[in-house]
Amino acid sequence: MKKAITITLLAALLTIVALSSVAAEESPYFVKTVSISKVYNHRLGYRVVYMTNDFQFKVLYIPQAWFAVAGQSGEIPKAELVLGNDPAYPYFSIFWKDGQFDHIRLYLKKDLNDTSWGDASTLGDIDSNFNVETLSLEF
């Protein structure tokens, strides 16, 4: 009886080790999540203000065209928008695949009256800032 229990435990241990090595495969994706200080909804996209690790404010521009679904453009979108009321909002997660920018996901407050939303009309002419093909961020 002891021998049967020992063999069963050994088999279970080997199964766990085998499964953990399968789960440990390295993903081609790297993701970083960053809090948003302020977001501006513009007719050409979103202007996002975030803070770096050394407490400097940086800005990124995400074109509206990046949010097109695969059925519209034939390509996987470069950007996704998640609206909600989660207390952690607003923030974004940026994804790199094999070291190259792949896509960004914005998590924004659904209520446009929330203090995280800014008034884009106060920014002046920023249209040319939305002419981007990729994102390069400073952290």
Side-chain angles (χ1 to χ4, degrees), residues 77-95:
K78 286 185 180 181
E80 297 172 274
L81 178 62
V82 178
L83 296 173
N85 295 317
D86 191 293
Y89 290 9
Y91 66 93
F92 66 87
S93 293
I94 184 164
F95 297 79

Side-chain angles (χ1 to χ4, degrees), residues 50-61:
Y50 66 99
M51 189 180 296
T52 62
N53 291 335
D54 59 351
F55 304 106
Q56 293 184 29
F57 287 106
K58 299 293 180 179
V59 177
L60 63 100
Y61 293 87

Side-chain angles (χ1 to χ4, degrees), residues 14-72:
L14 289 173
T15 302
I16 291 171
V17 169
L19 290 177
S20 66
S21 66
V22 170
E25 287 183 31
E26 194 169 316
S27 172
Y29 287 97
F30 174 76
V31 63
K32 181 160 179 73
T33 300
V34 179
S35 291
I36 293 175
S37 298
K38 194 70 105 172
V39 64
Y40 299 86
N41 189 6
H42 186 272
R43 65 182 172 79
L44 296 176
Y46 293 93
R47 179 183 190 261
V48 177
V49 180
Y50 66 99
M51 189 180 296
T52 62
N53 291 335
D54 59 351
F55 304 106
Q56 293 184 29
F57 287 106
K58 299 293 180 179
V59 177
L60 63 100
Y61 293 87
I62 305 169
Q64 190 66 41
W66 285 14
F67 294 90
V69 295
Q72 294 171 332

Side-chain angles (χ1 to χ4, degrees), residues 1 10 35 38 51 80 85 88 108 113-115 117 119 128:
M1 183 71 164
L10 183 59
S35 291
K38 194 70 105 172
M51 189 180 296
E80 297 172 274
N85 295 317
L108 304 177
N113 293 316
D114 187 82
T115 58
W117 287 96
D119 183 8
S128 62

